[in-house]
Amino acid sequence: MCQLHFLLLSTLLLMAQADPFQLDALIQYVDSHQDEYVETLRDWVAVESDSSDVLKRAELEHMMDITAEKLRKMGGKVELVDIGDQELSDGTKIPLPKVVTAQFGSDSSKRTVCIYGHVDVQPAKKEDGWATDPYNLTEINGNLYGRGASDNKAPVLAWIHAVEAYQALNMELPVNVKYILEGMEETGSNGLDAMISQHNHTFFSDVDYIIISDCGWLSRKPALTYGTRGNCYFLAEVEGPKQDLHSGVFGGTVFEPMTDLIGILDTLIDSSGKILIPGINEAVAALTEEEMKLYEGIEFDLESYQRKIGVDRLMYSSKADLLAHRWRYPTVSIHGIEGAFSAPGTKTVIPAKVIAKFSIRQVPDMDPLLVEKQVSDHLNAEFAKRNSPNKLKVTMVIGAKPWVADLKDSLYEAGKRAVKTVLGADPDMIREGGTIPIARTFQDVTGKRIIMLPIGGFDDGLHSQNEKMSRYNYIEGTKLFVAYLHEVAQV
């Protein structure tokens, strides 16, 4: 078997040397190493790099070290960049995990691409409803189950394997490649914005394009992502009595904070999904006929979507309308109420203070600072109508802007060519309804052009139980990245 592998590698090397770009040779190399790639992913998934749990910070730091060492062994110029401290709720500080940067090639005659990714994960426990151990990569029917498999360890590894394939066949990289890989994405990328600003005129100075693969397809059809919504996250606190009260003793004699809070929350959005806050809808960029046609041509099954989320009816009956409201219109979501009784059983309590948590997804041309004022003014005005002696405080704790790329950008034309070449299909051009704040940060700070090039499946279950990455998407995604490095060199 070893001799067969040696003969295959020798043949591939001869093919590669005959022509500076031999996609077939690179694809054969990737295919012959797919089991090795799966084992590497298994090793990475085994590290519980949960960025939300400070008790697992050592594991997260270990993950950053593993990532750096992998890139060092490939001959990259690697640095572990200190990005400062994280302040905990008790006021103490701990170091943030270092950001890994790496560089392969420094030919000034070539373009330079920078690949962003993260290696931290969301929390996961077997008892949460996983069918397998979330930190033991398990392959079932072609799917690789494990926390972080799709978000974002396999895509990061696929980009690393793509460069490895060129190296193994002694093929010159068509572009210089840089990596910036962080460990705090799942908790807000603490410290990364400042790091990008500090290194804008050094690490990013020669970067031409930035590639993000922290996203997924909409269906079984490959996709390129050209937009994400932003997010304004609010806390609305209503405070009344100095302590919780017994509803039998005090009910009917006091203005209850919960009643006030529910009353003003009901003025944010109506039952049809229309946002009732003055000024929000008026700021939204107009939907063009060209954009609506784009939605109509996307592969997306409404019935399958409805079944997957388990509801009897969706808000919109047409594919184009539903996608537009998922991607390019704002929405209000109420996430929870802190201070309310939520444990099993009954408790006749009047909470003294309650805090609602809700968000508004941002789209062009909304401005988070203006949205903050609009929401605060609206809620204070509605609260005043109640003539309550309780106190209201509205705070915006996240103000992430949306990001949208130009569909005619040559980066996307290169992406279409790579997808067609490797996967045999023209990709759907899609947006993400969620928020990837780093895209807007890269755009605003560095001024570089950005493409989102996903390989994750539509059913990967990101952040959920039984997260997975299919072997097909992992391996074919590696080939796609190999091809894209060639295509982007032609831009």
Side-chain angles (χ1 to χ4, degrees):
M1 191 67 184
C2 290
Q3 186 177 5
L4 181 62
H5 187 270
F6 174 76
L7 288 171
L8 175 61
L9 184 58
S10 298
T11 303
L12 293 176
L13 283 168
L14 287 171
M15 290 170 62
Q17 289 164 0
D19 189 328
F21 182 69
Q22 275 281 350
L23 181 59
D24 288 345
L26 287 160
I27 284 176
Q28 288 179 48
Y29 180 86
V30 171
D31 277 333
S32 66
H33 287 76
Q34 61 174 286
D35 288 339
E36 176 187 320
Y37 297 162
V38 170
E39 288 307 307
T40 304
L41 179 59
R42 188 185 314 282
D43 292 340
W44 280 34
V45 166
V47 182
E48 297 186 36
S49 49
D50 176 0
S51 54
S52 70
D53 188 347
V54 295
L55 298 178
K56 293 179 179 174
R57 186 53 54 87
E59 282 283 279
L60 182 51
E61 290 171 347
H62 179 49
M63 187 69 246
M64 305 315 296
D65 289 338
I66 289 173
T67 305
E69 185 58 24
K70 173 74 174 171
L71 293 163
R72 277 196 200 99
K73 285 182 176 178
M74 293 164 55
K77 180 183 176 184
V78 180
E79 289 187 36
L80 282 159
V81 182
D82 188 345
I83 56 170
D85 295 330
Q86 176 183 0
E87 185 171 342
L88 305 181
S89 56
D90 62 2
T92 60
K93 293 183 178 180
I94 60 172
L96 286 163
K98 292 180 172 62
V99 170
V100 176
T101 64
Q103 181 172 345
F104 294 85
S106 56
D107 187 339
S108 60
S109 68
K110 295 179 180 179
R111 298 293 189 182
T112 298
V113 301
C114 178
I115 294 152
Y116 162 83
H118 68 92
V119 292
D120 62 315
V121 300
Q122 286 278 323
K125 295 179 181 178
K126 178 75 160 59
E127 53 267 31
D128 290 339
W130 281 73
T132 60
D133 179 349
Y135 294 105
N136 179 19
L137 192 74
T138 305
E139 184 165 8
I140 303 172
N141 297 327
N143 289 323
L144 304 165
Y145 291 92
R147 175 57 88 219
S150 183
D151 184 17
N152 184 228
K153 290 181 177 179
V156 168
L157 279 171
W159 273 115
I160 292 173
H161 300 325
V163 171
E164 280 182 315
Y166 278 93
Q167 291 179 328
L169 298 183
N170 290 326
M171 290 176 63
E172 188 177 337
L173 282 170
V175 290
N176 304 312
V177 178
K178 289 188 171 184
Y179 295 88
I180 177 167
L181 306 172
E182 66 156 321
M184 291 295 287
E185 191 275 343
E186 298 293 2
T187 55
S189 295
N190 316 45
L192 190 62
D193 284 7
M195 180 264 183
I196 292 169
S197 295
Q198 290 163 7
H199 291 77
N200 187 29
H201 299 296
T202 51
F203 180 80
F204 293 101
S205 62
D206 60 347
V207 169
D208 295 290
Y209 318 121
I210 295 172
I211 308 170
I212 299 172
S213 296
D214 187 17
C215 41
W217 299 350
L218 180 66
S219 65
R220 297 190 186 279
K221 189 177 180 183
L224 299 178
T225 305
Y226 68 96
T228 63
R229 290 194 292 188
N231 189 21
C232 286
Y233 198 103
F234 290 90
L235 305 180
E237 175 186 304
V238 178
E239 185 172 10
K242 64 181 180 180
Q243 62 190 39
D244 291 353
L245 302 175
H246 189 300
S247 67
V249 177
F250 298 99
T253 69
V254 296
F255 291 82
E256 299 188 14
M258 182 73 83
T259 304
D260 283 341
L261 185 62
I262 297 297
I264 62 173
L265 289 179
D266 192 44
T267 70
L268 294 175
I269 190 168
D270 69 15
S271 59
S272 67
K274 181 182 177 183
I275 296 175
L276 304 175
I277 305 162
I280 296 291
N281 296 313
E282 291 79 0
V284 178
L287 176 64
T288 65
E289 186 177 339
E290 182 182 10
E291 188 180 351
M292 181 57 81
K293 285 181 179 177
L294 189 67
Y295 296 152
E296 290 169 352
I298 288 171
E299 184 173 308
F300 181 75
D301 186 276
L302 276 176
E303 291 184 4
S304 175
Y305 180 74
Q306 182 175 329
R307 283 196 306 271
K308 180 182 175 183
I309 56 181
V311 295
D312 294 331
R313 183 162 56 94
L314 297 167
M315 270 190 167
Y316 306 96
S317 57
S318 82
K319 175 177 67 174
D321 282 340
L322 189 135
L323 291 177
H325 283 86
R326 176 175 167 176
W327 292 343
R328 60 100 59 222
Y329 286 119
T331 188
V332 169
S333 296
I334 299 171
H335 305 294
I337 299 179
E338 186 178 331
F341 174 64
S342 60
T346 58
K347 183 179 181 182
T348 54
V349 65
I350 298 172
K353 182 173 76 173
V354 283
I355 305 171
K357 302 177 182 184
F358 66 92
S359 67
I360 303 178
R361 292 289 172 177
Q362 305 293 288
V363 300
D365 298 314
M366 296 171 68
D367 177 1
L369 291 178
L370 180 56
V371 170
E372 180 180 22
K373 183 179 187 306
Q374 290 167 334
V375 170
S376 181
D377 287 351
H378 172 74
L379 288 181
N380 278 292
E382 292 297 326
F383 188 74
K385 293 177 185 177
R386 301 184 65 82
N387 197 29
S388 170
N390 295 326
K391 297 178 179 64
L392 170 67
K393 183 170 76 172
V394 181
T395 310
M396 186 174 81
V397 293
I398 296 174
K401 296 178 180 179
W403 168 80
V404 178
D406 180 0
L407 276 175
K408 297 181 177 65
D409 191 318
S410 51
L411 288 181
Y412 282 86
E413 294 304 315
K416 291 176 185 177
R417 292 195 301 270
V419 170
K420 183 73 171 178
T421 298
V422 174
L423 301 174
D426 293 315
D428 276 337
M429 306 303 292
I430 67 172
R431 294 195 192 189
E432 285 278 354
T435 305
I436 305 179
I438 196 63
R440 187 59 184 259
T441 299
F442 280 135
Q443 179 178 290
D444 290 347
V445 175
T446 71
K448 311 298 183 181
R449 291 154 61 191
I450 300 165
I451 182 173
M452 290 194 181
L453 187 59
I455 61 170
F458 73 100
D459 57 351
D460 280 355
L462 313 183
H463 295 193
S464 188
Q465 297 92 338
N466 304 315
E467 178 186 348
K468 61 85 178 169
M469 166 67 80
S470 74
R471 179 185 278 252
Y472 173 84
N473 281 56
Y474 183 27
I475 302 306
E476 297 307 306
T478 301
K479 297 174 189 175
L480 173 62
F481 294 163
V482 164
Y484 190 71
L485 292 178
H486 171 71
E487 292 294 348
V488 79
Q490 317 306 313
V491 171

